[in-house]
Amino acid sequence: MRLERRHETSRAALVLAPVGAVAFTMAVSALLVLWAGAPVGRTYALLLQGGFGSVFAWSETLTRAIPLILTGLAATVAFKARLFNIGAEGQLFAGALAAVAVGGMHGGTGFELAPWVLFPLMMLAATVAGALLLLGPALMKNKLGVDEVVTTLLINFIVLLGVSALLDGPMKDPAAMGWPQSVSLQSDLELGKLVAQTRVHTGLLWAVSLAVMVWAIFKYTVLGFDIRAMGANARAAAFAGVPVTRTVVMVALLSGALAGLAGAIEVAGRTSYVTLDMSPGYGYTGIVIAMLAGLHPLGVIAAGVFVAGVLVGADTMSRAVGVPTYIADVIVAASLIAVLVATLLTQYRVRMK
Amino acid sequence: MTDLLDILANPAFWVAVLRIATPLILGTLGVLLCERAGVLNLGIEGIMVAGAFTGWLAVYAGAPLWAGVAVAALTGMVFGLLHAFLTVGLALSQHVSGLGITLLATALSYFGYRVSFPKVNTPPTITPFAPMEWLPMPILNAQTALTLFALLLVPAIGWVLYRTPLGLALRMVGENPQAAESQGVSVAATRTGAIVAGSALMGVAGSFLTLSAFNAFFFNMVNGRGWICVALVVFASWRPGKALLGALLFAFFDALQLRLQQSGDAVLPYQIYLMLPYLLSILALVLVARKASYPQALMKPYRKGER
């Protein structure tokens, strides 16, 4: 088997590749539905209906999409520069914790700030927390050659244990009946609802604007150019005068900040406090979303909404026909692999000999 | 301080060290084989979950324990083949392929568990491996045969790597695939073989958890052990002997933190002790990074005729 580079790749192929790959994955996953003893057609219909079939379904899907778009953007920024940030999960928790520390802990200290001052401070704290968490691994990679995948992964475990310790101790809400749960955010810091009677909050506008911002950075700024150059070929980029260390630092700060914001926006928009289960692996799913989107910031919005729909729909479907919700995770993970292969086939043709 | 001495003087402590080390030894050897051939395998975390699940399921369904281990190895091989197809055949990013396999293998295992046991709350159990009480050696006679297997595998893999033509081919493919190809060694076949064999060991590492250390399958039971194996290989500078040492050292601190946690006078929150293994891994990575002699072709896809 041998790969030959194609001379040109059509735009249509680039868009159709992920769509085809996902369709292929759904077809193969039908075997799992059969294994679970459910009718395939009805199961998938329920899945789609649960994710996209009603105003309520859409509101739930969009709510779920908010952190996914943000962690997807975090992965996109980093992966584009070949900084494999697998630590978005930890950065998300760090951001959430920082947000609560700023927006929920000052009550009774006599240190009162107006919400319009406190809100930006809270978001800033979250971005700083997320960014700092990635800066270490990025510099260790750049200066010492320590593989960032392993360090960012290990830091996720450390952060989660740290969060757990804080939720048992200093940040525990005394009113939480013994549950490990942080104090709540001041209510005037919470994000407003986008649609009344649903859970969709204005965090969606944040997520979409940040996607556009990242897209603009890639397309119109020197930093964006440097990031793309480094991603294409780090050595050539350095040779051509791209400030590699500075770019790595900027990428780490930007990527970590986006993941940190994901945590803060979850807290401000949905939960209002931090718990250990506030994220069912949004950081990891963000990687898949970035890949599904072909590392395109605007594609991340579509991929985020799609994956959120599958996850939300799986809950409804599971209740109706009893197929375990884990099928959503299988579909998401298998889609990642299928999209990788499909994208490769748009660039190479396979010759058998 | 006397507490610490008490802990160290207790044979039960060293039994625990060896037990904790076993899956790390197996997993680290698995990663080592892949990386020596030039391929990073981040699928390990998921492959361990899948091995733990399928090995346990086979035994639960009535297969003998060793057949369960074989099933776990086979599961690892299947995911290894997928990783080899993606990274060797298609030359895709080794990072992303490995992560994809981890997510897929984990999700499939959890799905399979839920389909097989839809309504249970307490996980069903099996009769796990018994300790080798007949062995005339203390500490080791409290372990199961899988631990002995892991220990014997260390010199075996060392011998294959450094004393056989196969090992030479494997190392060459990881250092300089062009040179290997010009010597008539098939890079693709050697890498695929190494990934499949390494992934089989990862599957067995997972099965140790369900068939020996515990007697049931739990969600999140692998809990980052796979990632620690990836760190340990760097710590071991890709040498089997040092991999054993690293795994034992690591297990030593892990067992120690467990005891300190239980000894009651722990001053710090228990989570701080649980962080130690991960902090230690990062520290090890940083300390060894400068002099680490990575296999030169690690993470570099090889396409015949392309440079």
Side-chain angles (χ1 to χ4, degrees):
Chain A
M1 194 170 91
R2 171 169 191 146
L3 297 169
E4 274 174 23
R5 191 169 263 286
R6 288 179 200 267
H7 293 299
E8 55 195 292
T9 302
S10 69
R11 230 154 215 281
L14 280 177
V15 175
L16 281 177
V19 177
V22 170
F24 172 78
T25 305
M26 300 283 274
V28 177
S29 305
L31 292 174
L32 296 179
V33 177
L34 290 175
W35 180 24
V40 174
R42 189 166 133 71
T43 302
Y44 277 158
L46 281 165
L47 192 89
L48 285 179
Q49 208 184 331
F52 306 103
S54 63
V55 175
F56 174 75
W58 268 102
S59 72
E60 284 296 298
T61 295
L62 291 176
T63 308
R64 187 78 75 98
I66 296 165
L68 290 176
I69 292 171
L70 289 167
T71 54
L73 288 172
T76 299
V77 171
F79 279 40
K80 200 89 170 176
R82 297 232 174 153
L83 178 76
F84 289 97
N85 173 19
I86 321 297
E89 187 75 3
Q91 291 144 21
L92 181 147
F93 273 98
L97 215 56
V100 168
V102 171
M105 300 292 277
H106 73 294
T109 56
F111 178 68
E112 304 275 334
L113 287 171
W116 63 268
V117 183
L118 207 50
F119 185 83
L121 274 183
M122 172 178 87
M123 288 302 178
L124 185 70
T127 57
V128 170
L132 285 184
L133 210 51
L134 184 54
L135 193 59
L139 285 176
M140 282 198 278
K141 173 206 170 98
N142 191 242
K143 297 288 175 202
L144 301 170
V146 182
D147 188 56
E148 76 280 18
V149 173
V150 186
T151 46
T152 50
L153 264 170
L154 293 171
I155 289 175
N156 285 342
F157 289 90
I158 296 173
V159 171
L160 270 144
L161 285 164
V163 172
S164 161
L166 286 170
L167 295 188
D168 275 351
M171 292 190 75
K172 183 176 186 148
D173 183 359
M177 322 276 269
W179 288 106
Q181 166 181 318
S182 80
V183 289
S184 292
L185 223 55
Q186 246 172 262
S187 57
D188 51 12
L189 294 176
E190 283 171 19
L191 293 169
K193 294 281 172 253
L194 209 54
V195 181
Q197 314 290 321
T198 69
R199 299 199 301 163
V200 202
H201 50 87
T202 51
L204 187 65
L205 305 178
W206 281 70
V208 172
S209 343
L210 284 164
V212 174
M213 190 195 84
V214 170
W215 172 77
I217 289 178
F218 279 167
K219 202 165 161 77
Y220 296 113
T221 67
V222 178
L223 174 67
F225 174 80
D226 289 348
I227 290 175
R228 279 181 288 137
M230 256 183 59
N233 187 335
R235 208 174 290 172
F239 186 69
V242 170
V244 172
T245 303
R246 198 172 77 199
T247 310
V248 166
V249 169
M250 290 301 293
V251 165
L253 294 179
L254 192 55
S255 173
L258 285 163
L261 269 179
I265 288 177
E266 273 297 276
V267 168
R270 196 172 63 85
T271 61
S272 93
Y273 49 77
V274 179
T275 55
L276 273 178
D277 55 5
M278 67 174 282
S279 159
Y282 289 138
Y284 303 104
T285 313
I287 297 165
V288 182
I289 287 164
M291 285 309 187
L292 288 178
L295 301 188
H296 193 295
L298 300 180
V300 166
I301 301 174
V305 171
F306 166 72
V307 170
V310 172
L311 294 174
V312 169
D315 288 342
T316 321
M317 176 279 296
S318 184
R319 261 176 267 129
V321 287
V323 176
T325 50
Y326 290 104
I327 193 152
D329 298 310
V330 176
I331 291 174
V332 169
S335 297
L336 166 65
I337 294 173
V339 168
L340 284 177
V341 174
T343 312
L344 181 98
L345 292 181
T346 63
Q347 291 157 358
Y348 288 87
R349 88 182 80 236
V350 178
R351 281 274 158 86
M352 293 294 180
K353 6 164 239 192
Chain B
M1 202 58 211
T2 47
D3 266 8
L4 190 64
L5 289 178
D6 280 348
I7 290 172
L8 297 185
N10 189 346
F13 172 75
W14 297 99
V15 170
V17 169
L18 210 50
R19 187 177 54 236
I20 294 172
T22 303
L24 298 178
I25 298 170
L26 290 165
T28 307
L29 289 174
V31 176
L32 190 143
L33 278 182
C34 299
E35 294 199 0
R36 272 290 181 155
V39 182
L40 179 74
N41 191 349
L42 295 179
I44 178 171
E45 182 79 10
I47 293 174
M48 280 178 75
V49 176
F53 171 62
T54 57
W56 171 85
L57 191 67
V59 174
Y60 183 81
L65 283 162
W66 282 107
V69 176
V71 167
L74 211 65
T75 308
M77 290 166 91
V78 171
F79 285 109
L81 263 181
L82 178 61
H83 190 55
F85 169 69
L86 296 172
T87 60
V88 180
L90 300 181
L92 287 169
S93 158
Q94 297 179 1
H95 278 123
V96 180
S97 163
L99 288 169
I101 286 174
T102 282
L103 293 175
L104 180 66
T106 308
L108 276 175
S109 307
Y110 291 176
F111 180 84
Y113 181 78
R114 269 286 164 251
V115 171
S116 314
F117 305 94
K119 294 264 184 290
V120 295
N121 286 321
T122 40
T125 56
I126 54 147
T127 312
F129 277 103
M132 302 176 290
E133 275 156 358
W134 44 270
L135 261 184
M137 289 159 89
I139 312 236
L140 202 58
N141 65 10
Q143 309 294 337
T144 64
L146 269 179
T147 301
L148 190 63
F149 170 70
L151 291 175
L152 294 176
L153 208 58
V154 175
I157 286 185
W159 182 77
V160 170
L161 272 181
Y162 296 106
R163 295 274 183 274
T164 66
L166 185 68
L168 179 67
L170 196 143
R171 284 183 291 136
M172 215 164 142
V173 158
E175 293 290 341
N176 190 340
Q178 280 84 5
E181 195 84 51
S182 71
Q183 295 286 314
V185 173
S186 162
V187 174
T190 312
R191 284 191 169 174
T192 303
I195 299 170
V196 169
S199 304
L201 289 182
M202 297 170 189
V204 176
S207 74
F208 174 85
L209 297 174
T210 44
L211 301 183
S212 181
F214 303 96
N215 57 3
F217 178 80
F218 307 99
F219 292 98
N220 297 322
M221 79 184 307
V222 174
N223 198 17
R225 283 185 179 85
W227 309 130
I228 286 174
C229 292
V230 177
L232 277 175
V233 175
V234 183
F235 174 80
S237 337
W238 294 269
R239 290 176 174 276
K242 284 191 179 174
L244 172 66
L245 193 74
L248 286 173
L249 197 69
F250 200 90
F252 171 85
F253 283 107
D254 205 7
L256 194 63
Q257 62 88 6
L258 273 172
R259 303 289 144 129
L260 288 174
Q261 220 185 103
Q262 287 161 358
S263 71
D265 48 23
V267 234
L268 296 168
Y270 74 93
Q271 291 96 342
I272 305 289
Y273 294 100
L274 289 177
M275 278 181 201
L276 282 178
Y278 303 108
L279 286 169
L280 221 63
S281 291
I282 294 177
L283 189 71
L285 283 174
V286 172
L287 286 181
V288 199
R290 275 190 186 283
K291 48 180 183 164
S293 44
Y294 281 82
Q296 288 300 306
L298 184 61
M299 287 185 260
K300 293 192 185 114
Y302 177 73
R303 290 197 181 105
K304 221 187 247 186
E306 260 183 50
R307 278 199 306 140

